[in-house]
Amino acid sequence: MDKLNVFARIHEMETQMGQLYSDLGELKLAIKELLEENQRLTIENEQVRKMLKRETSGEERPASKPKLPPPIVIKNEEETGEVVGEGYDNLARLYHEGFHICNVYYGHLRTEGDCLFCLSFLNK
């Protein structure tokens, strides 16, 4: 083997290793997305089973909503009372369903318990 052939083979191997590394990164990202979706679907499945169990056990009461703080009343410049709370309620519901509502991880599944960023956002 001459020197040029050895260097050409090394360069070819480096190219293949780079391609394998990028493929591995793509696979890791796909696995992460699948795991998040699986967790979300597992939570949703549990909620549906609870609802179905409630309906089949004869309890005909409406689904109980998580206890949320009352809507916040804010007065605008004309001193009229305007209830601002539906958006807050939606965000609180999303948080209680297990999703981030903070600007850092918005929309991602909460896998490690409570998020201080989300809680501080809810307390504003």
Side-chain angles (χ1 to χ4, degrees):
M1 259 191 205
D2 62 5
K3 293 177 185 176
L4 292 177
N5 192 17
V6 170
F7 283 117
R9 291 211 47 208
I10 288 175
H11 179 68
E12 181 181 327
M13 288 176 63
E14 284 179 336
T15 305
Q16 290 174 349
M17 287 174 59
Q19 182 62 37
L20 286 174
Y21 185 72
S22 70
D23 290 347
L24 181 64
E26 291 174 9
L27 285 174
K28 283 172 56 176
L29 183 62
I31 288 173
K32 178 186 171 212
E33 290 173 357
L34 288 173
L35 289 174
E36 286 179 353
E37 182 180 11
N38 187 29
Q39 182 67 25
R40 182 184 56 79
L41 291 174
T42 300
I43 292 170
E44 184 179 336
N45 193 10
E46 288 174 6
Q47 291 174 348
V48 169
R49 285 180 191 217
K50 286 178 187 176
M51 215 166 28
L52 182 63
K53 188 175 184 180
R54 231 180 313 172
E55 289 177 4
T56 58
S57 67
E59 295 180 20
E60 293 285 333
R61 63 179 184 217
S64 62
K65 294 182 179 178
K67 293 182 181 178
L68 302 175
I72 301 168
V73 177
I74 298 176
K75 295 193 177 196
N76 62 12
E77 293 177 5
E78 292 129 13
E79 297 294 320
T80 59
E82 187 176 316
V83 177
V84 177
E86 185 177 345
Y88 177 84
D89 290 344
N90 288 336
L91 288 175
R93 180 182 50 79
L94 283 173
Y95 181 77
H96 290 295
E97 287 178 0
F99 294 96
H100 282 278
I101 59 168
C102 61
N103 62 341
V104 180
Y105 301 109
Y106 183 80
H108 287 89
L109 195 63
R110 286 187 299 118
T111 56
E112 299 177 6
D114 289 333
C115 171
L116 295 178
F117 296 117
C118 293
L119 291 176
S120 69
F121 182 75
L122 283 174
N123 291 330
K124 284 186 180 179

